[in-house]
Amino acid sequence: MTTRSHPPTAGAANHFLTVRPAYIWPLSVVYSVRIGTPHRYISTESATLNRRVTPSRRRDDKRRPFVLLCFALIAAAGWRYSTDPVPALGGTVNIGPAVVYAAPAPTASSQLANFVTDSLFGLSGKLRVRLLTQSLSTALPHISRVLDRGPGIYPAQGDSARKPFAFVSLYPFAAKRGDKMGRYRMGFWPGELRVVSSGAYVNPEGFIEVTRENQDLFVSEHFRLRDFITHDQNDIWPKYLVLREELLDKLELVIADLNARGVPASKMIVLSGFRTPHHNQYGIGEDGGARDSRHQFGDGADIIIDADGDGRMDDLNFDGRLNTRDAEVILHAVDRIERLYPDLVGGVGTYAAMGPRGPFAHVDVRGYRARWDGNRPPRRASRPVRAEV
């Protein structure tokens, strides 16, 4: 028995005869395919000319993916042409997404640059770092909000015309465990072992962490971090350093004073800067260094002037000989500096040659005046003091 399909209704015919824009026609096809609108019959203006088309269901199912593909291609082409440049005033106007440019958030370096004033460069004008000590935090209370990532070195990058500068956040003294900071052996400070007689010998406030990467940081115009580290434990990094800005300031002023007097002094060599208490006790000669040596507190240094680069103290008094009188030229410069800047008062000791470097001078900023000849008992100190080594 054959089942006869009925012709479409007038409403269905009108559905296809309605005039539509070209880009709407594919929608009608898809619409009819998706929701089942009768589309098996193609209608013309006259119902008598209706021509019945009755493809099999299998053939009709095969057409649907093809119709959908055609629609996708037509839609893609329409989108492509809609984004082409639009002619205007004889040229083209490219239409693209709007871009909003926001001012970049200030970095820690740029914020720190706002704190760098001439006063931070010290009395010499040649400091390149400031330690974030309690006194500096009090003077600049807002700086701690910027240095909120813990101990480390924070460059302050401001105006390119300015000198390089950095702030150093210290590891607190309490971070030391026993006689070590990490794997680095430091020993025990006098204040950890007994009651000290002066505030000049209290424990340091904290330590600078020195790594292979940051050891070449300039702490002043003529000195780097590595110039002051203890000469031991060569394979252990990081190392830890105690250093006072007053010592840097004083050394820079001595260089300027000697240069001004015709003594080339720009190449000042630090033979021994900071010493850990452990190295001071066991690494200096047979008896060790002075028990309360200023080297342990980061404010003392043994120095020579080596402008000719031969690794030895220069003939600073131009007498053709190399002896302690050359070290005394440094002592006289220190005397002049301390008269001008009483806040930098400290000790000076002169020493004969104790190795290939020749004679040298010890300079510190202990807070009171002390003078001695390292080859003789201490002389004319304002209070008893053991000769520093």
Side-chain angles (χ1 to χ4, degrees), residues 42-52:
I42 301 176
S43 300
T44 61
E45 295 181 359
S46 175
T48 59
L49 297 179
N50 284 345
R51 182 178 179 182
R52 185 176 64 181

Side-chain angles (χ1 to χ4, degrees), residues 124-140:
S124 65
K126 297 180 179 180
L127 297 186
R128 297 293 178 268
V129 299
R130 289 306 294 261
L131 308 182
L132 191 61
T133 58
Q134 185 62 43
S135 59
L136 183 61
S137 298
T138 302
L140 301 173

Side-chain angles (χ1 to χ4, degrees), residues 122-325:
L123 297 172
S124 65
K126 297 180 179 180
L127 297 186
R128 297 293 178 268
V129 299
R130 289 306 294 261
L131 308 182
L132 191 61
T133 58
Q134 185 62 43
S135 59
L136 183 61
S137 298
T138 302
L140 301 173
H142 299 294
I143 198 171
S144 58
R145 300 177 186 175
V146 181
L147 305 183
D148 59 354
R149 292 177 293 171
I153 296 172
Y154 296 79
Q157 297 175 350
D159 186 351
S160 59
R162 287 198 172 198
K163 303 168 185 176
F165 200 84
F167 291 92
V168 180
S169 182
L170 303 175
Y171 278 83
F173 186 85
K176 185 169 77 78
R177 295 292 179 263
D179 67 342
K180 290 185 177 182
M181 276 288 291
R183 296 190 305 127
Y184 189 67
R185 173 162 292 185
M186 305 195 79
F188 296 96
W189 269 260
E192 294 181 277
L193 303 175
R194 62 185 183 277
V195 177
V196 295
S197 58
S198 168
Y201 297 95
V202 298
N203 295 331
E205 187 170 334
F207 309 110
I208 303 171
E209 183 180 67
V210 183
T211 67
R212 295 182 189 273
E213 294 74 25
N214 70 19
Q215 62 177 321
D216 287 321
L217 174 75
F218 276 98
V219 290
S220 69
E221 185 173 305
H222 293 95
F223 301 104
R224 302 172 188 258
L225 272 180
R226 58 181 166 86
D227 294 326
F228 295 92
I229 59 177
T230 304
H231 302 307
D232 70 346
Q233 305 175 74
N234 296 332
D235 297 330
I236 296 181
W237 297 88
K239 304 178 186 296
Y240 294 89
L241 167 68
V242 179
L243 183 62
R244 287 184 57 191
E245 298 144 348
E246 294 87 347
L247 175 64
L248 297 172
D249 231 357
K250 192 170 187 175
L251 296 180
E252 290 288 355
L253 288 167
V254 168
I255 291 174
D257 178 89
L258 292 175
N259 283 334
R261 293 176 178 272
V263 180
S266 294
K267 191 174 181 182
M268 181 182 284
I269 305 297
V270 177
L271 301 179
S272 179
F274 169 66
R275 295 180 196 157
T276 63
H278 180 268
H279 182 73
N280 187 68
Q281 182 176 0
Y282 299 106
I284 306 297
E286 295 181 359
D287 299 327
R291 185 180 67 170
D292 296 331
S293 172
R294 299 311 308 173
H295 291 274
Q296 302 171 98
F297 300 91
D299 60 15
D302 299 340
I303 59 173
I304 64 171
I305 304 296
D306 183 24
D308 59 11
D310 65 355
R312 293 170 56 81
M313 170 75 97
D314 290 346
D315 179 14
L316 300 184
N317 65 350
F318 308 111
D319 66 355
R321 293 179 293 180
L322 197 59
N323 51 39
T324 55
R325 291 189 176 182

Side-chain angles (χ1 to χ4, degrees), residues 11-60:
N14 291 337
H15 175 76
F16 288 99
L17 291 176
T18 303
V19 178
R20 299 177 174 85
Y23 61 86
I24 296 297
W25 171 244
L27 295 174
S28 301
V29 176
V30 175
Y31 174 78
S32 63
V33 172
R34 294 296 298 261
I35 67 174
T37 302
H39 62 281
R40 295 189 179 190
Y41 300 91
I42 301 176
S43 300
T44 61
E45 295 181 359
S46 175
T48 59
L49 297 179
N50 284 345
R51 182 178 179 182
R52 185 176 64 181
V53 181
T54 59
S56 65
R57 180 178 296 275
R58 180 178 300 174
R59 184 176 180 182
D60 182 57

